[in-house]
Amino acid sequence: MLLTQSSWMEVEDYLQRSTSILVPIGSIEQHGPNGLLGTDAICPQVIAEHAQGLTDMLVGPTFSVGCAQHHLGFAGTITLRPSTMIASMLDWTASLQRHGFERIYWLNGHGGNVATINAAFAESYAARSFATTPSRLELLHKLQNWWQFEQVMSLCKQLYPVGDGQHATASEVAVTYAAYPQAQKNVSMQPKIAPTGSITHAEDYRRQFPDGRIGSDPSQAKVEDGEQIIQRAAEAVAADFERFARS
Ligand code: NI
């Protein structure tokens, strides 16, 4: 069930049977010469959309802009400051709590969001702990990176044994191509596999990684591979969400 395509009455009915919701969370940032700027938002969103067909799950709107300051040297990247992202996540949380949601499962598509998401959880729990009148409702957050399920990692390793990489990976590009086949881009990579290194600020990033990729050869990405990854990840998310909702 998708929140953006439901009526308020349908959400109210859902709350009678479950107080758990999944929120895809991503980023709008460059993904190399053939990757889409929306990659990190598209991946968790399509996986969640698939997963909600496998179990009783409400999928919220995608929190699509995250922390991507290090990608600002490339056109089209949009970022929040960590402090803005925390404030925004707290407002999403407060809105959902207002309706009775107690468990929020954040399905993440961007490694650069992890520290800030965890900081937002800490703020959220602190606000609850400081409250002089404790809420009768439970509050539980979970962060899950879509690519970090064991069964997803093993599939990506099998599909792309060489050059899956760290950023603009072949597997995430394949997922977006499966979602939007018309957006595929045929680009030859120079060098074939991008360099690796650590990340600081925007100028440094562009100097070290001139075409935006880190350690990857995303020209390997194929629609059929993306379809397999979506299926595998959706099954893992559906099972994990069921466990979370029962916890
Ligand atoms: Ni990405």
Side-chain angles (χ1 to χ4, degrees):
M1 179 174 168
L2 303 175
L3 184 138
T4 55
Q5 293 176 36
S6 302
S7 69
W8 70 264
M9 291 169 187
E10 288 169 326
V11 174
E12 201 168 76
D13 283 349
Y14 175 87
L15 276 159
Q16 297 301 308
R17 36 182 219 276
S18 175
T19 57
S20 301
I21 184 168
L22 183 149
V23 177
I25 186 165
S27 181
I28 304 296
E29 62 183 48
Q30 69 80 19
H31 271 75
N34 74 338
L36 314 186
L37 279 147
T39 298
D40 289 352
I42 292 167
C43 290
Q45 181 172 317
V46 297
I47 291 163
E49 284 173 359
H50 216 79
Q52 57 90 34
L54 306 174
T55 186
D56 188 21
M57 172 197 290
L58 179 63
V59 174
T62 301
F63 189 106
S64 53
V65 177
C67 282
Q69 58 78 18
H70 48 291
H71 294 293
L72 279 176
F74 299 87
T77 297
I78 299 174
T79 192
L80 300 175
R81 288 178 170 79
S83 54
T84 317
M85 182 167 171
I86 292 167
S88 187
M89 285 179 66
L90 292 175
D91 286 354
W92 282 49
T93 298
S95 305
L96 293 168
Q97 282 182 294
R98 172 76 173 68
H99 307 305
F101 286 100
E102 299 181 294
R103 288 171 170 72
I104 311 178
Y105 186 109
W106 303 82
L107 184 64
N108 180 41
H110 173 47
N113 282 345
V114 169
T116 304
I117 291 173
N118 281 319
F121 290 178
E123 289 284 359
S124 177
Y125 292 137
R128 165 138 182 162
S129 300
F130 279 125
T132 46
T133 324
S135 167
R136 62 190 169 77
L137 295 177
E138 189 47 74
L139 172 63
L140 192 59
H141 294 283
K142 172 168 175 146
L143 163 63
Q144 176 67 49
N145 298 319
W146 71 260
W147 65 91
Q148 271 183 336
F149 289 105
E150 214 167 287
Q151 55 273 53
V152 174
M153 288 192 295
S154 62
L155 175 61
C156 295
K157 188 82 201 154
Q158 178 199 320
L159 293 167
Y160 307 114
V162 177
D164 195 22
Q166 289 79 52
H167 180 68
T169 64
S171 44
E172 64 181 338
V173 172
V175 168
T176 64
Y177 283 5
Y180 300 105
Q182 76 287 1
Q184 291 178 79
K185 296 162 210 322
N186 192 1
V187 184
S188 65
M189 300 290 158
Q190 292 300 331
K192 189 92 181 122
I193 294 182
T196 54
S198 55
I199 297 165
T200 57
H201 56 77
E203 284 76 39
D204 176 54
Y205 187 108
R206 179 129 187 187
R207 225 176 6 245
Q208 284 194 75
F209 314 107
D211 72 4
R213 296 174 295 147
I214 304 180
S216 67
D217 171 16
S219 67
Q220 306 175 86
K222 285 197 221 44
V223 168
E224 314 82 82
D225 298 346
E227 286 168 349
Q228 277 193 68
I229 298 168
I230 291 169
Q231 179 65 32
R232 186 75 68 93
E235 287 163 5
V237 167
D240 199 40
F241 182 84
E242 280 174 12
R243 275 191 297 275
F244 176 70
R246 279 197 308 267
S247 63

